[in-house]
Amino acid sequence: MITVYGAPGWGSAISELMLTLAEIPYQFDNVDGFDKPGPQQERLRSINPLCQVPTLQLDDGSVMTETAAIALMILDKRPDLAPPVGTPEREQFWRLLVWLVANVYPTFTYADYPERFAPDAPEQLRERCVAYRKTLYLWLDKQLQAAPWAFGEQLTLLDIYICVLRTWGPRQGWFAQNAPKMSAIADAVCGLPSLRNVLRSNDII
Ligand SMILES: N[C@@H](CCC(=O)N[C@@H](CS)C(=O)NCC(=O)O)C(=O)O
């Protein structure tokens, strides 16, 4: 069975929710505290030297990381969780999935640990990243034209991504005011009965 190394509410929630939606069994190994020196960090580092979550260990013992790559791995088993081949929505799905990990996720890497990257001006780096992230979300919200899900009637793994991001900075109130489409999608994901337990264990609902 797949093991998801993670911490409640962190990036591992994205993989947990995607696996749950896809009905792929996994076990959760809680490495909460991994971003500070200590036994949890050492445990995670022994599997993934980058010491990031999510880190997955697959049935054959191999290690899988990167939320977008994990989404693609899941889509190999459950292609119905992306728009169908041959539709324009499918291309936009790839585009936004990659866009999120290429543009939005790094703002967390830098803003959450600014002293690593700008030891002389950590607060400035943090503030700039948070401000930049808001502009990214405003752009994303404009891209989302369909309802109830990002690509219309079909729930996709992108909706899961949006739901988890909405719980992180700049937090739910900001999204409600400034990114109403992301907010509505996140609310709809939060209402899915099949995800309730995982949403709860990650403090999302
Ligand atoms: N590109 C990775 C980013 C993962 C990531 O940055 N995860 C955060 C937690 S939400 C983390 O582990 N941060 C600790 C660090 O970067 O040292 C992905 O998409 O999975």
Side-chain angles (χ1 to χ4, degrees):
M1 190 189 291
I2 294 175
T3 301
V4 176
Y5 293 89
W10 292 60
S12 44
I14 299 169
S15 297
E16 279 200 89
L17 286 165
M18 287 180 178
L19 287 164
T20 304
L21 185 69
E23 297 174 323
I24 298 173
Y26 70 91
Q27 57 190 3
F28 181 65
D29 192 320
N30 192 339
V31 290
D32 205 3
F34 73 93
D35 65 337
K36 293 176 188 63
Q40 297 287 65
Q41 187 174 74
E42 287 322 305
R43 209 153 66 82
L44 182 60
R45 198 187 300 284
S46 69
I47 302 153
N48 174 8
L50 279 180
C51 217
Q52 289 187 331
V53 297
T55 295
L56 273 56
Q57 197 148 30
L58 306 183
D59 293 342
D60 64 358
S62 62
V63 170
M64 182 71 189
T65 60
E66 298 301 321
T67 45
I70 294 164
L72 297 178
M73 178 188 84
I74 291 170
L75 288 174
D76 274 351
K77 293 205 170 69
R78 287 291 306 271
D80 56 309
L81 295 174
V85 177
T87 61
E89 285 81 11
R90 191 171 178 90
E91 281 139 27
Q92 293 307 309
F93 174 87
W94 299 139
R95 177 185 180 215
L96 293 181
L97 185 69
V98 170
W99 179 86
L100 283 173
V101 289
N103 293 277
V104 176
Y105 225 137
T107 69
F108 290 100
T109 307
Y110 302 127
D112 290 352
Y113 309 97
E115 61 291 340
R116 262 189 219 163
F117 303 99
D120 298 332
E123 195 46 34
Q124 194 177 28
L125 177 62
R126 199 190 63 77
E127 278 171 17
R128 294 278 167 98
C129 284
V130 171
Y132 179 56
R133 190 188 307 141
K134 286 180 182 168
T135 69
L136 295 175
Y137 284 147
L138 293 176
W139 177 85
L140 176 59
D141 209 63
K142 282 207 189 75
Q143 301 298 306
L144 303 171
Q145 298 297 337
W149 308 112
F151 292 99
E153 294 303 317
Q154 187 187 3
L155 171 65
T156 71
L157 296 184
L158 196 81
D159 299 302
I160 301 294
Y161 221 117
I162 289 171
C163 175
V164 176
L165 288 174
R166 196 264 301 252
T167 67
W168 299 344
R171 304 283 176 195
Q172 200 154 333
W174 184 90
F175 283 100
Q177 281 209 320
N178 299 283
K181 292 176 194 152
M182 288 183 72
S183 233
I185 289 167
D187 283 342
V189 171
C190 286
L192 291 171
S194 63
L195 299 182
R196 189 174 301 137
N197 288 344
V198 186
L199 289 164
R200 282 209 179 118
S201 63
N202 282 285
D203 294 323
I204 294 174
I205 57 171

